[in-house]
Amino acid sequence: MKILLLISTILFIFSSSYAQNYEEGYFIKDGKKVVGFINYENWLRTPKSVQFKSTLDAYPDLIDSQSADEFTVHNELYLSKKIKIFVDVNNQKSINVETVPTLFEGDRFLRVLLKTDIITLLEFVDSNEKVHLFLEKDNTFQELFFSEEYRYNKENILYMVSKKGYISQLRALLADCSAIQINDNLAYTKKEILKICLSYLKCKGNNSAFIVNTSKSKDEKITYSVGAVGGHFLKVNNPSNWIAGLALRINFPRNFRNTFLLVEANYNNIRESSGQFANPNYDDALQVFGANVLGGMHFGKKNIRPYVNVGLSVMDKFGGDAVVGIGMSWKRAVKIEYRELTNGSLRNVAFSFMYDF
């Protein structure tokens, strides 16, 4: 158990190096294009700076949004913009807690959703993971305003107040195209506002749009994996012992990074233990059904990723014990893992084959 905990600790310490994922890209500074490799972090919040390498073997430099004009990586374009917005500190449904907006001002690399010589649509995600959309037209750069606040009336009944300033803003900004009709119920989403902007470009006869995909990728939503699990118990006399079962893995979205919840149902066949286990309940040969519920994390974004997990293992009439595992995976699909109960009574090597759907 001590060895397992030591290996897990080392993995956590060096997890930052596993998480690095340098891809071909470039940044522009003072009109000069510098090509190299950028650490693509699939940013949940809008980045202030990025790590850049001229070669994969080079030491990374920090490219700040105050000095660089833009960067491109993973087929995504980010422009440096100075923004000034209000960010909600609290928005809780409590009569004693009010929404307190605070002013945020600074330079950030905003993700480009649409870029033409007429209009540009950009996205900023604040520290609360709230999306703010910005539109640039005729050298004017402005936020499309939208907010929702929980409030109580005199009878202390909770209700929501929505402020849809973006409706009138879009009507004013796109007024030079009479064919554009902006409904009062237009949703404040990247998808819907992008549709309006594309309709405007079509009206103006401009088809030179640069569009970043705004649909949700697998990294931005919960996905599921199913598969088969097998294994072999350690410290038993008979090498023919085995484990077999089925597994369901819930893969959480990118804001949780590589985390997952794993549920396994298995059959355990332990032969000729001969009193080698710390727990006497396991000393006799066992053929029992069991189940495991584990929470864990993969490290990094490459095909080969280390991972750790911890949870509860239940074995028929013997009840449950805490279990810890550490292993390596290939594309998170093929996995090999060393696993043991925290009381030291059972240890095994497990294999699994998972399919994403």
Side-chain angles (χ1 to χ4, degrees):
M1 185 64 191
K2 291 181 179 179
I3 295 176
L4 185 60
L5 290 175
L6 177 61
I7 296 173
S8 301
T9 302
I10 293 173
L11 267 182
F12 275 113
I13 292 174
F14 290 99
S15 62
S16 60
S17 63
Y18 280 111
Q20 292 182 346
N21 186 36
Y22 282 89
E23 298 185 14
E24 292 184 1
Y26 66 84
F27 70 91
I28 294 179
K29 180 178 181 179
D30 299 327
K32 181 181 178 181
K33 181 178 180 180
V34 183
V35 179
F37 300 88
I38 292 175
N39 186 18
Y40 177 66
E41 300 181 49
N42 196 14
W43 296 274
L44 177 64
R45 300 176 180 88
T46 298
K48 181 180 180 180
S49 59
V50 295
Q51 296 180 66
F52 175 85
K53 291 183 177 182
S54 55
T55 66
L56 287 176
D57 297 328
Y59 189 82
D61 293 318
L62 198 65
I63 307 303
D64 192 271
S65 53
Q66 286 185 311
S67 57
D69 301 315
E70 65 180 71
F71 75 86
T72 295
V73 67
H74 201 73
N75 295 319
E76 296 180 7
L77 173 64
Y78 291 79
L79 298 182
S80 175
K81 294 289 184 182
K82 185 179 291 292
I83 59 175
K84 185 176 182 180
I85 63 172
F86 283 96
V87 176
D88 295 336
V89 174
N90 287 306
N91 199 7
Q92 302 180 16
K93 301 177 183 179
S94 170
I95 189 171
N96 298 317
V97 180
E98 296 181 356
T99 299
V100 182
T102 126
L103 180 65
F104 170 82
E105 186 173 8
D107 296 276
R108 288 295 186 272
F109 283 119
L110 273 60
R111 183 171 180 243
V112 174
L113 304 180
L114 174 71
K115 188 176 189 301
T116 71
D117 53 359
I118 300 177
I119 57 173
T120 300
L121 181 65
L122 305 103
E123 171 195 37
F124 172 80
V125 183
D126 65 27
S127 57
N128 297 322
E129 300 174 16
K130 178 182 177 182
V131 173
H132 303 256
L133 298 177
F134 289 78
L135 193 66
E136 188 170 35
K137 182 176 183 285
D138 299 330
N139 296 320
T140 300
F141 175 72
Q142 60 182 280
E143 180 187 3
L144 298 177
F145 295 108
F146 173 68
S147 66
E148 290 181 333
E149 299 176 11
Y150 291 103
R151 294 184 180 177
Y152 284 83
N153 60 20
K154 294 181 179 179
E155 289 75 31
N156 291 335
I157 297 175
L158 180 68
Y159 68 102
M160 179 180 283
V161 176
S162 297
K163 298 179 181 179
K164 299 184 177 182
Y166 65 95
I167 301 290
S168 57
Q169 285 178 285
L170 287 171
R171 286 171 177 164
L173 287 166
L174 309 180
D176 53 332
C177 182
S178 58
I180 300 294
Q181 300 295 321
I182 300 175
N183 193 292
D184 289 337
N185 296 320
L186 176 69
Y188 190 83
T189 64
K190 293 178 280 186
K191 181 179 179 180
E192 294 303 317
I193 293 181
L194 181 60
K195 283 182 181 178
I196 293 295
C197 292
L198 291 174
S199 297
Y200 174 78
L201 291 173
K202 184 177 180 180
C203 173
K204 302 296 288 186
N206 188 311
N207 297 314
S208 59
F210 176 95
I211 304 173
V212 174
N213 183 16
T214 57
S215 62
K216 283 191 174 182
S217 69
K218 285 187 176 182
D219 289 333
E220 296 176 309
K221 60 184 179 181
I222 291 177
T223 61
Y224 301 90
S225 307
V226 294
V229 180
H232 180 79
F233 285 103
L234 305 176
K235 288 192 69 177
V236 294
N237 291 340
N238 192 327
S240 66
N241 71 84
W242 47 266
I243 311 163
L246 300 174
L248 169 67
R249 187 177 68 214
I250 302 172
N251 309 296
F252 292 106
R254 68 172 182 167
N255 45 321
F256 294 99
R257 301 295 180 180
N258 284 304
T259 54
F260 60 85
L261 177 67
L262 182 66
V263 180
E264 297 176 345
N266 52 50
Y267 181 79
N268 303 275
N269 185 71
I270 309 176
R271 311 297 281 175
E272 299 180 20
S273 58
S274 301
Q276 295 193 36
F277 299 124
N279 187 336
N281 287 331
Y282 301 137
D283 285 346
D284 296 327
L286 301 177
Q287 294 85 42
V288 294
F289 288 99
N292 299 315
V293 179
L294 302 160
M297 173 182 287
H298 293 93
F299 296 100
K301 301 176 184 177
K302 302 190 180 199
N303 287 340
I304 297 177
R305 307 184 195 185
Y307 69 92
V308 296
N309 52 40
V310 62
L312 179 68
S313 179
V314 178
M315 210 179 273
D316 200 16
K317 62 182 179 180
F318 300 109
D321 286 298
V323 60
V324 179
I326 183 170
M328 296 291 292
S329 71
W330 179 74
K331 294 186 175 179
R332 296 192 302 181
V334 180
K335 309 176 80 170
I336 180 170
E337 175 182 343
Y338 172 75
R339 187 182 292 180
E340 69 176 63
L341 298 181
T342 55
N343 62 20
S345 57
L346 283 178
R347 300 169 184 170
N348 63 272
V349 175
F351 307 88
S352 61
F353 303 89
M354 309 294 290
Y355 174 77
D356 292 337
F357 67 94

